[in-house]
Amino acid sequence: MAENLDNFDFLTSLKSLKDNGEDTKLIEIFEMLDTKLRDLRTINSIYKERMKNSWNDPDMHFRTVLLEEVRELNDEWNDNYTLFKLASFLQHDKIMYIMFARMIDNLDNIRIRVADRTERSKLAWDDPKIHQKEVEDELLRESELEVQDLLRMYHIAKDFEFNPGIELTIKRLEAKDINVDSLKNGMKK
C-alpha cells in the first residue's frame, strides 16, 4: 500500500510540475527515468553468446547474438512505451514525441536484426533471374513487416489521441505507397 502512495505522490508531483509550466524540471526527470531504465536493461542483459571467445557453429552463434540483441531492443521498446504512457498522462507532447520516435527506431532496429538476408548475402548464384526474384521477395517481406510496425504505432498514437504520432505514421506509410485514406478518415471522426 505504501508503494502505491509513493507512486501516487510521484505522479501528483509530476502533474504539478506540468501544471506549473516547469518543463525543464519535467524533462530532467524523464531523462533520469530513461537513464535508470537503461541501467536496469544493462544489468539484466544476457551476453552469454556475445561473451564467448570461441564457438562450434559460427552461423548459430551469429543468430543467437541477434536474438539477444532483439530481446534487448524489445525491452527498450517496452521502457520507451512506458515513458510514452507517462508523458501522455501528463499531456506533455514534446516528451511523447521523443518516446514515440524512439519506439519507431526500436522497431526499425529489430526488423534489421531479424531480416532474412539469405539471398542478399550470397556471393555467387547459379541463376541470376532466380536470385533477383528471391532478393525481391526478401525486400517485400521486410517492407510488409515495416508496414505492420507502422500500423502498430499508428494504433498506439490513435489510442492516446497523439496527433503528431498519427501524422508521422501516416506520412511514413504514404512514403511506402500505402493507401492511408481509411486511416485519415478515422482521424476526422
Side-chain angles (χ1 to χ4, degrees), residues 2-61:
E3 183 179 308
N4 289 339
L5 287 176
D6 290 342
N7 290 339
F8 181 76
D9 292 341
F10 177 70
L11 291 174
T12 303
S13 64
L14 289 179
K15 189 72 170 142
S16 293
L17 289 172
K18 171 67 168 110
D19 292 343
N20 294 330
E22 295 183 49
D23 280 357
T24 304
K25 182 68 175 165
L26 197 57
I27 290 171
E28 287 174 8
I29 291 171
F30 269 84
E31 288 172 350
M32 180 215 42
L33 291 170
D34 185 44
T35 300
K36 286 185 182 269
L37 289 169
R38 187 176 336 117
D39 292 345
L40 285 172
R41 283 193 311 272
T42 301
I43 291 168
N44 293 325
S45 290
I46 299 174
Y47 290 104
K48 289 179 186 174
E49 201 64 34
R50 287 174 276 189
M51 298 303 285
K52 288 183 179 178
N53 292 328
S54 64
W55 45 87
N56 295 333
D57 184 349
D59 288 335
M60 181 58 104
H61 167 74

Side-chain angles (χ1 to χ4, degrees), residues 43-126:
I43 291 168
N44 293 325
S45 290
I46 299 174
Y47 290 104
K48 289 179 186 174
E49 201 64 34
R50 287 174 276 189
M51 298 303 285
K52 288 183 179 178
N53 292 328
S54 64
W55 45 87
N56 295 333
D57 184 349
D59 288 335
M60 181 58 104
H61 167 74
F62 181 70
R63 278 179 274 179
T64 306
V65 166
L66 288 177
L67 290 175
E68 287 176 3
E69 291 173 352
V70 166
R71 179 178 170 248
E72 289 174 7
L73 287 166
N74 274 321
D75 290 345
E76 185 178 344
W77 188 91
N78 287 326
D79 289 345
N80 289 330
Y81 184 48
T82 299
L83 292 175
F84 174 82
K85 292 188 289 187
L86 180 57
S88 174
F89 169 76
L90 300 171
Q91 298 176 345
H92 197 288
D93 285 345
K94 182 178 179 181
I95 296 172
M96 287 176 72
Y97 195 85
I98 291 168
M99 294 302 123
F100 194 82
R102 285 185 185 176
M103 290 160 57
I104 289 175
D105 285 344
N106 292 141
L107 293 176
D108 290 345
N109 289 326
I110 290 168
R111 264 194 331 280
I112 288 168
R113 282 164 179 77
V114 298
D116 179 10
R117 298 185 190 289
T118 306
E119 200 62 36
R120 289 173 280 181
S121 298
K122 288 183 179 177
L123 299 176
W125 47 87
D126 295 328

